[in-house]
Amino acid sequence: MADETVTVETYSTTLGLIYIFNLIVGTGALTMPAAFHYVTVTFMVEAMAIANARVNLRMQQQDPSENDPADGQISERAPLLQTRPEVSEFEITRPVEMGIMAVMFFNRAGVVLFNLCIVIYLYGDLSIYAVAVPKSLRDVACTYAGTNSSCNQTVGDSDPCWEGVDLTRENAYRVFVAVFFCTIGMFAFSNVQKTKYLQMLTSGARWVAFGIMIVLAVIQLAEGRGQGHPKVGDISGLPNLFGVCVYSFMCHHSLPSLVTPIRNKSRLASVLAGDYTLILVFYAILSFTGIFTFRSIEDLYTLNFQPNECGRQTVTNVKFIEYFLALFPVFTLSTNFPIIAITLRNNLKGILARPSYSNFVNHYLIALLAVVPPTIVAVITNKVDFLVGITGSYAGAGIQYVIPAFLVLSARRQVLDLEARLGGPQIHRSPFGSSVWVYLVLGWAALCVIFVTINHIVTGK
């Protein structure tokens, strides 16, 4: 169950929204998304509030106030004038992870399915990040371009990283994997609050990168050099859109770690809505400027801003901008990796930790269990296309749509009893309080899975 004695270091609402913005606006923004998934975030917040109330009720039952003893006498140590802080029992003060909520609200089969879904998704995500960051660093650092300048020649993993240096690109990649594990991977042993300076620095880098890409695209369009002629509609792209949307707005698994430390939660629903609106505006501006500027869009949008090679459209000749945008995925994923690693660690604690185990096992060993397997995958291979398809499509849809819907549906059945026993109302209700919204979300999830499966079949995955 949740650690009821944990002391949560708080931070401001603004910093909390920076965390959520950074987590969502990662490489998903570079795959041209166009969707909005705020409803299930409010479901998660409501379920977290009800879970906190359950923990508070259990603590009251286990530790009755010493000022209300059975014999009616007041303890000599108690103050004569009692002042109870005006904090609702439904306030989100404890980081109750999704795994803990699953145990609270699901039956045994539901808990097993949840654990399977979250482990597949989080391990898959961390493996992707552990590959993508070192691979991006390797591609920027290695300068060997082959024996000739032909556009048909490709540089492979067995080629040298630098001319005249006995180090292959594959071994250089593995060196970067080790460096990544020894630096960013170590954040898995701390908590989310410890990454706040990294988050703030990276948030600035993201704003600069997005601004550069948007401004460069607008300049191309203003000068009449736009080469994009997008179709008004293309039904064949619909399945891929659903899959991209799942990846692009995913943050549900980390909400307990991100929302709990926010100091002022009085207007949590509205500020989350504002954060999601800002993210959607970013996505829309980036998408529309890109599709009208470039004849074809690379799988990773930043690649469209690389030097003019083999007929690629020239956008800028400023080397700093070229390298800065080439390293943009490194900035985004290096920030997301600690948050997701901490989320996986906390959920693994809910599954594996026991009071009888030592602190070394319950904390450090489980933290290693969160980051070592993805690192091993990254050392073995730098090709994780299949993993991306599975984690982003199916496990991702489960975490983003199915689990929040079932959590809030099950949690709402306990609200009336908790309100009566705790003497206060639920203060973090979702604006989408009707069960109709829950079933609409589940229907949307089924539609997403169908379209994504069609896309996998069509593309041969």
PDB file of all heavy atoms in Angstrom, residues 236-247 388-397 401 444-461:
ATOM      1  N   SER A 236      -6.294   7.371 -45.466  1.00  0.00           N
ATOM      2  CA  SER A 236      -5.280   6.341 -45.211  1.00  0.00           C
ATOM      3  C   SER A 236      -4.364   6.708 -44.050  1.00  0.00           C
ATOM      4  O   SER A 236      -3.706   5.852 -43.467  1.00  0.00           O
ATOM      5  CB  SER A 236      -4.437   6.106 -46.475  1.00  0.00           C
ATOM      6  OG  SER A 236      -3.694   7.273 -46.814  1.00  0.00           O
ATOM      7  N   GLY A 237      -4.309   8.001 -43.712  1.00  0.00           N
ATOM      8  CA  GLY A 237      -3.459   8.428 -42.607  1.00  0.00           C
ATOM      9  C   GLY A 237      -4.141   8.371 -41.253  1.00  0.00           C
ATOM     10  O   GLY A 237      -3.503   8.590 -40.222  1.00  0.00           O
ATOM     11  N   LEU A 238      -5.434   8.045 -41.239  1.00  0.00           N
ATOM     12  CA  LEU A 238      -6.181   8.030 -39.991  1.00  0.00           C
ATOM     13  C   LEU A 238      -5.664   7.008 -38.977  1.00  0.00           C
ATOM     14  O   LEU A 238      -5.497   7.343 -37.803  1.00  0.00           O
ATOM     15  CB  LEU A 238      -7.669   7.786 -40.278  1.00  0.00           C
ATOM     16  CG  LEU A 238      -8.635   8.002 -39.111  1.00  0.00           C
ATOM     17  CD1 LEU A 238      -8.568   9.441 -38.618  1.00  0.00           C
ATOM     18  CD2 LEU A 238     -10.063   7.651 -39.532  1.00  0.00           C
ATOM     19  N   PRO A 239      -5.369   5.766 -39.379  1.00  0.00           N
ATOM     20  CA  PRO A 239      -4.851   4.805 -38.384  1.00  0.00           C
ATOM     21  C   PRO A 239      -3.564   5.273 -37.719  1.00  0.00           C
ATOM     22  O   PRO A 239      -3.394   5.135 -36.511  1.00  0.00           O
ATOM     23  CB  PRO A 239      -4.623   3.531 -39.221  1.00  0.00           C
ATOM     24  CG  PRO A 239      -5.561   3.666 -40.364  1.00  0.00           C
ATOM     25  CD  PRO A 239      -5.590   5.128 -40.685  1.00  0.00           C
ATOM     26  N   ASN A 240      -2.647   5.863 -38.517  1.00  0.00           N
ATOM     27  CA  ASN A 240      -1.390   6.343 -37.938  1.00  0.00           C
ATOM     28  C   ASN A 240      -1.625   7.503 -36.984  1.00  0.00           C
ATOM     29  O   ASN A 240      -0.950   7.635 -35.960  1.00  0.00           O
ATOM     30  CB  ASN A 240      -0.440   6.769 -39.046  1.00  0.00           C
ATOM     31  CG  ASN A 240       0.949   7.081 -38.522  1.00  0.00           C
ATOM     32  OD1 ASN A 240       1.525   6.308 -37.776  1.00  0.00           O
ATOM     33  ND2 ASN A 240       1.487   8.211 -38.910  1.00  0.00           N
ATOM     34  N   LEU A 241      -2.621   8.337 -37.289  1.00  0.00           N
ATOM     35  CA  LEU A 241      -2.946   9.478 -36.430  1.00  0.00           C
ATOM     36  C   LEU A 241      -3.332   9.018 -35.031  1.00  0.00           C
ATOM     37  O   LEU A 241      -2.902   9.593 -34.037  1.00  0.00           O
ATOM     38  CB  LEU A 241      -4.079  10.289 -37.051  1.00  0.00           C
ATOM     39  CG  LEU A 241      -4.630  11.452 -36.207  1.00  0.00           C
ATOM     40  CD1 LEU A 241      -3.561  12.512 -35.993  1.00  0.00           C
ATOM     41  CD2 LEU A 241      -5.851  12.050 -36.866  1.00  0.00           C
ATOM     42  N   PHE A 242      -4.131   7.963 -34.941  1.00  0.00           N
ATOM     43  CA  PHE A 242      -4.566   7.460 -33.645  1.00  0.00           C
ATOM     44  C   PHE A 242      -3.367   7.003 -32.815  1.00  0.00           C
ATOM     45  O   PHE A 242      -3.274   7.285 -31.620  1.00  0.00           O
ATOM     46  CB  PHE A 242      -5.553   6.313 -33.828  1.00  0.00           C
ATOM     47  CG  PHE A 242      -6.967   6.771 -34.059  1.00  0.00           C
ATOM     48  CD1 PHE A 242      -7.378   7.215 -35.304  1.00  0.00           C
ATOM     49  CD2 PHE A 242      -7.888   6.766 -33.030  1.00  0.00           C
ATOM     50  CE1 PHE A 242      -8.672   7.636 -35.515  1.00  0.00           C
ATOM     51  CE2 PHE A 242      -9.197   7.197 -33.233  1.00  0.00           C
ATOM     52  CZ  PHE A 242      -9.591   7.634 -34.489  1.00  0.00           C
ATOM     53  N   GLY A 243      -2.442   6.274 -33.455  1.00  0.00           N
ATOM     54  CA  GLY A 243      -1.273   5.785 -32.733  1.00  0.00           C
ATOM     55  C   GLY A 243      -0.384   6.914 -32.245  1.00  0.00           C
ATOM     56  O   GLY A 243       0.109   6.898 -31.125  1.00  0.00           O
ATOM     57  N   VAL A 244      -0.197   7.921 -33.095  1.00  0.00           N
ATOM     58  CA  VAL A 244       0.636   9.065 -32.733  1.00  0.00           C
ATOM     59  C   VAL A 244       0.007   9.844 -31.579  1.00  0.00           C
ATOM     60  O   VAL A 244       0.694  10.304 -30.669  1.00  0.00           O
ATOM     61  CB  VAL A 244       0.839   9.977 -33.966  1.00  0.00           C
ATOM     62  CG1 VAL A 244       1.469  11.301 -33.544  1.00  0.00           C
ATOM     63  CG2 VAL A 244       1.713   9.291 -34.995  1.00  0.00           C
ATOM     64  N   CYS A 245      -1.316   9.974 -31.600  1.00  0.00           N
ATOM     65  CA  CYS A 245      -1.995  10.725 -30.546  1.00  0.00           C
ATOM     66  C   CYS A 245      -1.832  10.065 -29.186  1.00  0.00           C
ATOM     67  O   CYS A 245      -1.708  10.746 -28.171  1.00  0.00           O
ATOM     68  CB  CYS A 245      -3.481  10.862 -30.887  1.00  0.00           C
ATOM     69  SG  CYS A 245      -3.807  11.970 -32.265  1.00  0.00           S
ATOM     70  N   VAL A 246      -1.840   8.736 -29.159  1.00  0.00           N
ATOM     71  CA  VAL A 246      -1.642   8.025 -27.898  1.00  0.00           C
ATOM     72  C   VAL A 246      -0.294   8.383 -27.309  1.00  0.00           C
ATOM     73  O   VAL A 246      -0.159   8.685 -26.116  1.00  0.00           O
ATOM     74  CB  VAL A 246      -1.765   6.498 -28.101  1.00  0.00           C
ATOM     75  CG1 VAL A 246      -1.313   5.755 -26.853  1.00  0.00           C
ATOM     76  CG2 VAL A 246      -3.196   6.121 -28.436  1.00  0.00           C
ATOM     77  N   TYR A 247       0.743   8.369 -28.153  1.00  0.00           N
ATOM     78  CA  TYR A 247       2.088   8.655 -27.672  1.00  0.00           C
ATOM     79  C   TYR A 247       2.258  10.121 -27.288  1.00  0.00           C
ATOM     80  O   TYR A 247       2.957  10.466 -26.344  1.00  0.00           O
ATOM     81  CB  TYR A 247       3.115   8.314 -28.758  1.00  0.00           C
ATOM     82  CG  TYR A 247       4.145   7.321 -28.299  1.00  0.00           C
ATOM     83  CD1 TYR A 247       4.480   6.220 -29.087  1.00  0.00           C
ATOM     84  CD2 TYR A 247       4.788   7.463 -27.081  1.00  0.00           C
ATOM     85  CE1 TYR A 247       5.417   5.297 -28.663  1.00  0.00           C
ATOM     86  CE2 TYR A 247       5.726   6.553 -26.656  1.00  0.00           C
ATOM     87  CZ  TYR A 247       6.041   5.470 -27.453  1.00  0.00           C
ATOM     88  OH  TYR A 247       6.970   4.563 -27.033  1.00  0.00           O
ATOM     89  N   VAL A 388       8.549   0.019 -30.071  1.00  0.00           N
ATOM     90  CA  VAL A 388       7.806   1.279 -30.161  1.00  0.00           C
ATOM     91  C   VAL A 388       6.354   0.998 -30.520  1.00  0.00           C
ATOM     92  O   VAL A 388       5.423   1.561 -29.941  1.00  0.00           O
ATOM     93  CB  VAL A 388       8.448   2.216 -31.207  1.00  0.00           C
ATOM     94  CG1 VAL A 388       7.557   3.422 -31.448  1.00  0.00           C
ATOM     95  CG2 VAL A 388       9.822   2.661 -30.749  1.00  0.00           C
ATOM     96  N   GLY A 389       6.138   0.105 -31.488  1.00  0.00           N
ATOM     97  CA  GLY A 389       4.787  -0.201 -31.923  1.00  0.00           C
ATOM     98  C   GLY A 389       3.946  -0.825 -30.833  1.00  0.00           C
ATOM     99  O   GLY A 389       2.781  -0.468 -30.646  1.00  0.00           O
ATOM    100  N   ILE A 390       4.526  -1.735 -30.068  1.00  0.00           N
ATOM    101  CA  ILE A 390       3.773  -2.423 -29.014  1.00  0.00           C
ATOM    102  C   ILE A 390       3.484  -1.488 -27.848  1.00  0.00           C
ATOM    103  O   ILE A 390       2.341  -1.348 -27.399  1.00  0.00           O
ATOM    104  CB  ILE A 390       4.544  -3.663 -28.519  1.00  0.00           C
ATOM    105  CG1 ILE A 390       4.647  -4.699 -29.641  1.00  0.00           C
ATOM    106  CG2 ILE A 390       3.854  -4.270 -27.305  1.00  0.00           C
ATOM    107  CD1 ILE A 390       3.315  -5.223 -30.126  1.00  0.00           C
ATOM    108  N   THR A 391       4.515  -0.810 -27.340  1.00  0.00           N
ATOM    109  CA  THR A 391       4.326   0.034 -26.155  1.00  0.00           C
ATOM    110  C   THR A 391       3.452   1.242 -26.453  1.00  0.00           C
ATOM    111  O   THR A 391       2.598   1.622 -25.656  1.00  0.00           O
ATOM    112  CB  THR A 391       5.672   0.510 -25.592  1.00  0.00           C
ATOM    113  OG1 THR A 391       6.370   1.242 -26.615  1.00  0.00           O
ATOM    114  CG2 THR A 391       6.521  -0.653 -25.161  1.00  0.00           C
ATOM    115  N   GLY A 392       3.668   1.859 -27.614  1.00  0.00           N
ATOM    116  CA  GLY A 392       2.902   3.064 -27.936  1.00  0.00           C
ATOM    117  C   GLY A 392       1.469   2.776 -28.308  1.00  0.00           C
ATOM    118  O   GLY A 392       0.575   3.584 -28.042  1.00  0.00           O
ATOM    119  N   SER A 393       1.228   1.631 -28.920  1.00  0.00           N
ATOM    120  CA  SER A 393      -0.098   1.359 -29.454  1.00  0.00           C
ATOM    121  C   SER A 393      -1.015   0.729 -28.433  1.00  0.00           C
ATOM    122  O   SER A 393      -2.100   1.245 -28.147  1.00  0.00           O
ATOM    123  CB  SER A 393       0.007   0.433 -30.671  1.00  0.00           C
ATOM    124  OG  SER A 393       0.849   0.995 -31.649  1.00  0.00           O
ATOM    125  N   TYR A 394      -0.606  -0.387 -27.861  1.00  0.00           N
ATOM    126  CA  TYR A 394      -1.510  -1.183 -27.043  1.00  0.00           C
ATOM    127  C   TYR A 394      -1.371  -0.875 -25.546  1.00  0.00           C
ATOM    128  O   TYR A 394      -2.344  -0.496 -24.894  1.00  0.00           O
ATOM    129  CB  TYR A 394      -1.275  -2.669 -27.332  1.00  0.00           C
ATOM    130  CG  TYR A 394      -1.494  -2.995 -28.786  1.00  0.00           C
ATOM    131  CD1 TYR A 394      -0.433  -3.291 -29.629  1.00  0.00           C
ATOM    132  CD2 TYR A 394      -2.775  -2.975 -29.332  1.00  0.00           C
ATOM    133  CE1 TYR A 394      -0.640  -3.568 -30.975  1.00  0.00           C
ATOM    134  CE2 TYR A 394      -3.000  -3.246 -30.666  1.00  0.00           C
ATOM    135  CZ  TYR A 394      -1.919  -3.545 -31.489  1.00  0.00           C
ATOM    136  OH  TYR A 394      -2.144  -3.801 -32.818  1.00  0.00           O
ATOM    137  N   ALA A 395      -0.171  -1.035 -25.003  1.00  0.00           N
ATOM    138  CA  ALA A 395       0.010  -0.717 -23.582  1.00  0.00           C
ATOM    139  C   ALA A 395      -0.239   0.765 -23.331  1.00  0.00           C
ATOM    140  O   ALA A 395      -0.820   1.152 -22.310  1.00  0.00           O
ATOM    141  CB  ALA A 395       1.419  -1.109 -23.136  1.00  0.00           C
ATOM    142  N   GLY A 396       0.182   1.617 -24.269  1.00  0.00           N
ATOM    143  CA  GLY A 396      -0.045   3.059 -24.119  1.00  0.00           C
ATOM    144  C   GLY A 396      -1.511   3.418 -24.111  1.00  0.00           C
ATOM    145  O   GLY A 396      -1.969   4.230 -23.310  1.00  0.00           O
ATOM    146  N   ALA A 397      -2.286   2.800 -25.000  1.00  0.00           N
ATOM    147  CA  ALA A 397      -3.730   3.052 -25.020  1.00  0.00           C
ATOM    148  C   ALA A 397      -4.371   2.567 -23.725  1.00  0.00           C
ATOM    149  O   ALA A 397      -5.304   3.184 -23.214  1.00  0.00           O
ATOM    150  CB  ALA A 397      -4.363   2.353 -26.223  1.00  0.00           C
ATOM    151  N   TYR A 401      -6.202   5.476 -21.635  1.00  0.00           N
ATOM    152  CA  TYR A 401      -7.656   5.474 -21.719  1.00  0.00           C
ATOM    153  C   TYR A 401      -8.318   4.465 -20.781  1.00  0.00           C
ATOM    154  O   TYR A 401      -9.166   4.814 -19.962  1.00  0.00           O
ATOM    155  CB  TYR A 401      -8.097   5.156 -23.159  1.00  0.00           C
ATOM    156  CG  TYR A 401      -7.601   6.130 -24.187  1.00  0.00           C
ATOM    157  CD1 TYR A 401      -6.897   5.694 -25.308  1.00  0.00           C
ATOM    158  CD2 TYR A 401      -7.848   7.493 -24.060  1.00  0.00           C
ATOM    159  CE1 TYR A 401      -6.448   6.577 -26.266  1.00  0.00           C
ATOM    160  CE2 TYR A 401      -7.395   8.389 -25.015  1.00  0.00           C
ATOM    161  CZ  TYR A 401      -6.703   7.924 -26.118  1.00  0.00           C
ATOM    162  OH  TYR A 401      -6.258   8.806 -27.059  1.00  0.00           O
ATOM    163  N   TRP A 444     -13.659   5.035 -27.362  1.00  0.00           N
ATOM    164  CA  TRP A 444     -12.567   5.687 -28.093  1.00  0.00           C
ATOM    165  C   TRP A 444     -11.306   4.822 -28.046  1.00  0.00           C
ATOM    166  O   TRP A 444     -10.599   4.688 -29.043  1.00  0.00           O
ATOM    167  CB  TRP A 444     -12.299   7.055 -27.479  1.00  0.00           C
ATOM    168  CG  TRP A 444     -11.152   7.797 -28.086  1.00  0.00           C
ATOM    169  CD1 TRP A 444      -9.863   7.809 -27.652  1.00  0.00           C
ATOM    170  CD2 TRP A 444     -11.181   8.630 -29.243  1.00  0.00           C
ATOM    171  NE1 TRP A 444      -9.086   8.604 -28.456  1.00  0.00           N
ATOM    172  CE2 TRP A 444      -9.865   9.124 -29.440  1.00  0.00           C
ATOM    173  CE3 TRP A 444     -12.186   9.026 -30.125  1.00  0.00           C
ATOM    174  CZ2 TRP A 444      -9.542   9.982 -30.489  1.00  0.00           C
ATOM    175  CZ3 TRP A 444     -11.854   9.879 -31.169  1.00  0.00           C
ATOM    176  CH2 TRP A 444     -10.559  10.347 -31.346  1.00  0.00           C
ATOM    177  N   ALA A 445     -11.045   4.218 -26.884  1.00  0.00           N
ATOM    178  CA  ALA A 445      -9.874   3.343 -26.756  1.00  0.00           C
ATOM    179  C   ALA A 445      -9.980   2.156 -27.702  1.00  0.00           C
ATOM    180  O   ALA A 445      -9.003   1.781 -28.362  1.00  0.00           O
ATOM    181  CB  ALA A 445      -9.741   2.860 -25.312  1.00  0.00           C
ATOM    182  N   ALA A 446     -11.166   1.553 -27.770  1.00  0.00           N
ATOM    183  CA  ALA A 446     -11.364   0.424 -28.681  1.00  0.00           C
ATOM    184  C   ALA A 446     -11.140   0.856 -30.128  1.00  0.00           C
ATOM    185  O   ALA A 446     -10.509   0.144 -30.922  1.00  0.00           O
ATOM    186  CB  ALA A 446     -12.770  -0.147 -28.509  1.00  0.00           C
ATOM    187  N   LEU A 447     -11.633   2.054 -30.472  1.00  0.00           N
ATOM    188  CA  LEU A 447     -11.451   2.576 -31.829  1.00  0.00           C
ATOM    189  C   LEU A 447      -9.972   2.800 -32.130  1.00  0.00           C
ATOM    190  O   LEU A 447      -9.486   2.486 -33.227  1.00  0.00           O
ATOM    191  CB  LEU A 447     -12.231   3.889 -31.971  1.00  0.00           C
ATOM    192  CG  LEU A 447     -12.474   4.413 -33.390  1.00  0.00           C
ATOM    193  CD1 LEU A 447     -13.302   3.419 -34.191  1.00  0.00           C
ATOM    194  CD2 LEU A 447     -13.181   5.761 -33.334  1.00  0.00           C
ATOM    195  N   CYS A 448      -9.246   3.340 -31.148  1.00  0.00           N
ATOM    196  CA  CYS A 448      -7.800   3.561 -31.321  1.00  0.00           C
ATOM    197  C   CYS A 448      -7.072   2.243 -31.585  1.00  0.00           C
ATOM    198  O   CYS A 448      -6.239   2.165 -32.488  1.00  0.00           O
ATOM    199  CB  CYS A 448      -7.213   4.226 -30.074  1.00  0.00           C
ATOM    200  SG  CYS A 448      -7.604   5.969 -29.894  1.00  0.00           S
ATOM    201  N   VAL A 449      -7.370   1.227 -30.783  1.00  0.00           N
ATOM    202  CA  VAL A 449      -6.701  -0.063 -30.937  1.00  0.00           C
ATOM    203  C   VAL A 449      -7.000  -0.652 -32.307  1.00  0.00           C
ATOM    204  O   VAL A 449      -6.109  -1.200 -32.982  1.00  0.00           O
ATOM    205  CB  VAL A 449      -7.133  -1.028 -29.814  1.00  0.00           C
ATOM    206  CG1 VAL A 449      -6.663  -2.446 -30.103  1.00  0.00           C
ATOM    207  CG2 VAL A 449      -6.592  -0.555 -28.472  1.00  0.00           C
ATOM    208  N   ILE A 450      -8.240  -0.543 -32.768  1.00  0.00           N
ATOM    209  CA  ILE A 450      -8.605  -1.077 -34.084  1.00  0.00           C
ATOM    210  C   ILE A 450      -7.834  -0.371 -35.188  1.00  0.00           C
ATOM    211  O   ILE A 450      -7.237  -1.007 -36.065  1.00  0.00           O
ATOM    212  CB  ILE A 450     -10.132  -0.928 -34.310  1.00  0.00           C
ATOM    213  CG1 ILE A 450     -10.899  -1.867 -33.378  1.00  0.00           C
ATOM    214  CG2 ILE A 450     -10.491  -1.226 -35.767  1.00  0.00           C
ATOM    215  CD1 ILE A 450     -12.401  -1.618 -33.354  1.00  0.00           C
ATOM    216  N   PHE A 451      -7.814   0.965 -35.139  1.00  0.00           N
ATOM    217  CA  PHE A 451      -7.128   1.721 -36.184  1.00  0.00           C
ATOM    218  C   PHE A 451      -5.618   1.481 -36.156  1.00  0.00           C
ATOM    219  O   PHE A 451      -4.970   1.380 -37.199  1.00  0.00           O
ATOM    220  CB  PHE A 451      -7.425   3.217 -36.051  1.00  0.00           C
ATOM    221  CG  PHE A 451      -8.683   3.643 -36.749  1.00  0.00           C
ATOM    222  CD1 PHE A 451      -9.782   4.077 -36.033  1.00  0.00           C
ATOM    223  CD2 PHE A 451      -8.770   3.603 -38.131  1.00  0.00           C
ATOM    224  CE1 PHE A 451     -10.950   4.457 -36.676  1.00  0.00           C
ATOM    225  CE2 PHE A 451      -9.922   3.996 -38.784  1.00  0.00           C
ATOM    226  CZ  PHE A 451     -11.024   4.419 -38.058  1.00  0.00           C
ATOM    227  N   VAL A 452      -5.050   1.405 -34.960  1.00  0.00           N
ATOM    228  CA  VAL A 452      -3.612   1.166 -34.847  1.00  0.00           C
ATOM    229  C   VAL A 452      -3.254  -0.217 -35.379  1.00  0.00           C
ATOM    230  O   VAL A 452      -2.244  -0.403 -36.058  1.00  0.00           O
ATOM    231  CB  VAL A 452      -3.155   1.327 -33.381  1.00  0.00           C
ATOM    232  CG1 VAL A 452      -1.770   0.756 -33.180  1.00  0.00           C
ATOM    233  CG2 VAL A 452      -3.165   2.797 -32.983  1.00  0.00           C
ATOM    234  N   THR A 453      -4.088  -1.208 -35.079  1.00  0.00           N
ATOM    235  CA  THR A 453      -3.848  -2.558 -35.590  1.00  0.00           C
ATOM    236  C   THR A 453      -3.899  -2.569 -37.112  1.00  0.00           C
ATOM    237  O   THR A 453      -3.062  -3.202 -37.773  1.00  0.00           O
ATOM    238  CB  THR A 453      -4.891  -3.534 -35.015  1.00  0.00           C
ATOM    239  OG1 THR A 453      -4.833  -3.505 -33.585  1.00  0.00           O
ATOM    240  CG2 THR A 453      -4.624  -4.951 -35.495  1.00  0.00           C
ATOM    241  N   ILE A 454      -4.876  -1.868 -37.681  1.00  0.00           N
ATOM    242  CA  ILE A 454      -4.953  -1.751 -39.145  1.00  0.00           C
ATOM    243  C   ILE A 454      -3.687  -1.123 -39.696  1.00  0.00           C
ATOM    244  O   ILE A 454      -3.120  -1.574 -40.695  1.00  0.00           O
ATOM    245  CB  ILE A 454      -6.192  -0.921 -39.547  1.00  0.00           C
ATOM    246  CG1 ILE A 454      -7.477  -1.675 -39.196  1.00  0.00           C
ATOM    247  CG2 ILE A 454      -6.159  -0.588 -41.034  1.00  0.00           C
ATOM    248  CD1 ILE A 454      -8.741  -0.850 -39.374  1.00  0.00           C
ATOM    249  N   ASN A 455      -3.208  -0.076 -39.000  1.00  0.00           N
ATOM    250  CA  ASN A 455      -1.988   0.594 -39.458  1.00  0.00           C
ATOM    251  C   ASN A 455      -0.795  -0.329 -39.407  1.00  0.00           C
ATOM    252  O   ASN A 455       0.047  -0.347 -40.318  1.00  0.00           O
ATOM    253  CB  ASN A 455      -1.714   1.824 -38.597  1.00  0.00           C
ATOM    254  CG  ASN A 455      -0.502   2.607 -39.045  1.00  0.00           C
ATOM    255  OD1 ASN A 455      -0.428   3.050 -40.177  1.00  0.00           O
ATOM    256  ND2 ASN A 455       0.462   2.773 -38.164  1.00  0.00           N
ATOM    257  N   HIS A 456      -0.684  -1.147 -38.349  1.00  0.00           N
ATOM    258  CA  HIS A 456       0.425  -2.106 -38.244  1.00  0.00           C
ATOM    259  C   HIS A 456       0.367  -3.135 -39.368  1.00  0.00           C
ATOM    260  O   HIS A 456       1.388  -3.513 -39.939  1.00  0.00           O
ATOM    261  CB  HIS A 456       0.382  -2.823 -36.893  1.00  0.00           C
ATOM    262  CG  HIS A 456       0.810  -1.953 -35.747  1.00  0.00           C
ATOM    263  ND1 HIS A 456       1.563  -0.819 -35.903  1.00  0.00           N
ATOM    264  CD2 HIS A 456       0.578  -2.061 -34.406  1.00  0.00           C
ATOM    265  CE1 HIS A 456       1.787  -0.269 -34.728  1.00  0.00           C
ATOM    266  NE2 HIS A 456       1.190  -1.007 -33.797  1.00  0.00           N
ATOM    267  N   ILE A 457      -0.843  -3.575 -39.708  1.00  0.00           N
ATOM    268  CA  ILE A 457      -0.995  -4.567 -40.780  1.00  0.00           C
ATOM    269  C   ILE A 457      -0.628  -3.951 -42.125  1.00  0.00           C
ATOM    270  O   ILE A 457       0.101  -4.539 -42.922  1.00  0.00           O
ATOM    271  CB  ILE A 457      -2.440  -5.109 -40.807  1.00  0.00           C
ATOM    272  CG1 ILE A 457      -2.733  -5.902 -39.516  1.00  0.00           C
ATOM    273  CG2 ILE A 457      -2.668  -5.983 -42.037  1.00  0.00           C
ATOM    274  CD1 ILE A 457      -4.181  -6.299 -39.372  1.00  0.00           C
ATOM    275  N   VAL A 458      -1.118  -2.721 -42.377  1.00  0.00           N
ATOM    276  CA  VAL A 458      -0.859  -2.048 -43.651  1.00  0.00           C
ATOM    277  C   VAL A 458       0.629  -1.768 -43.843  1.00  0.00           C
ATOM    278  O   VAL A 458       1.182  -1.937 -44.931  1.00  0.00           O
ATOM    279  CB  VAL A 458      -1.676  -0.744 -43.730  1.00  0.00           C
ATOM    280  CG1 VAL A 458      -1.239   0.081 -44.945  1.00  0.00           C
ATOM    281  CG2 VAL A 458      -3.160  -1.059 -43.814  1.00  0.00           C
ATOM    282  N   THR A 459       1.301  -1.344 -42.765  1.00  0.00           N
ATOM    283  CA  THR A 459       2.723  -0.985 -42.878  1.00  0.00           C
ATOM    284  C   THR A 459       3.633  -2.200 -42.717  1.00  0.00           C
ATOM    285  O   THR A 459       4.857  -2.052 -42.787  1.00  0.00           O
ATOM    286  CB  THR A 459       3.092   0.063 -41.812  1.00  0.00           C
ATOM    287  OG1 THR A 459       2.766  -0.450 -40.498  1.00  0.00           O
ATOM    288  CG2 THR A 459       2.329   1.354 -42.055  1.00  0.00           C
ATOM    289  N   GLY A 460       3.065  -3.366 -42.476  1.00  0.00           N
ATOM    290  CA  GLY A 460       3.878  -4.576 -42.404  1.00  0.00           C
ATOM    291  C   GLY A 460       4.526  -4.806 -41.070  1.00  0.00           C
ATOM    292  O   GLY A 460       5.432  -5.636 -40.948  1.00  0.00           O
ATOM    293  N   LYS A 461       4.115  -4.095 -40.009  1.00  0.00           N
ATOM    294  CA  LYS A 461       4.729  -4.279 -38.690  1.00  0.00           C
ATOM    295  C   LYS A 461       4.241  -5.554 -38.018  1.00  0.00           C
ATOM    296  O   LYS A 461       4.912  -6.070 -37.147  1.00  0.00           O
ATOM    297  CB  LYS A 461       4.430  -3.069 -37.790  1.00  0.00           C
ATOM    298  CG  LYS A 461       5.168  -1.818 -38.202  1.00  0.00           C
ATOM    299  CD  LYS A 461       4.921  -0.692 -37.228  1.00  0.00           C
ATOM    300  CE  LYS A 461       5.675   0.572 -37.639  1.00  0.00           C
ATOM    301  NZ  LYS A 461       5.442   1.682 -36.700  1.00  0.00           N
TER     302      LYS A 461
END
